[in-house]
Amino acid sequence: MQLTERQRQIMLGMARGLRLKDHRDIEGSKNYALHYPDGRSEPVDAADVEALVELGLISSNKKFPSATYWPTEVGHAAILTLQSEASPEHR
């Protein structure tokens, strides 16, 4: 499975406890962001989230106006692979 560097960062961030959420405005436009425990947030490109959903790596609770995403079983397996690739013995 080929992920972009940004998609890898999103998955690994979720594994570290960051929350991926979408936020809809009154017109229905969505903005995606990774939320840190200290209250900071970092914008995420919609195309990256959509790709991760299409690959079956993440899913959401489909809430309105703000949905939360989490890794699926397939996503957890992918995270383990990404973490092992990032470990020093694989470089």
Side-chain angles (χ1 to χ4, degrees):
M1 168 179 326
Q2 294 290 359
L3 298 179
T4 66
E5 182 57 32
R6 184 62 180 137
Q7 291 164 356
R8 286 193 232 319
Q9 291 171 357
I10 293 166
M11 294 298 294
L12 291 171
M14 292 174 76
R16 290 190 324 269
L18 303 183
R19 289 177 296 127
L20 176 61
K21 298 185 86 166
D22 71 36
H23 304 274
R24 292 180 194 242
D25 62 23
I26 196 73
E27 287 91 31
S29 298
K30 280 188 195 177
N31 293 305
Y32 297 89
L34 278 172
H35 294 269
Y36 291 78
D38 65 5
R40 291 179 299 130
S41 64
E42 174 184 329
V44 174
D45 191 305
D48 288 322
V49 175
E50 291 164 8
L52 294 172
V53 168
E54 288 176 16
L55 290 168
L57 298 177
I58 61 173
S59 187
S60 80
N61 60 4
K62 299 173 182 44
K63 298 273 182 164
F64 180 85
S66 180
T68 301
Y69 292 77
W70 57 81
T72 62
E73 285 186 38
V74 173
H76 282 291
I79 287 168
L80 291 174
T81 300
L82 292 171
Q83 288 171 329
S84 71
E85 290 173 356
S87 68
E89 65 268 9
H90 285 88
R91 291 186 183 187

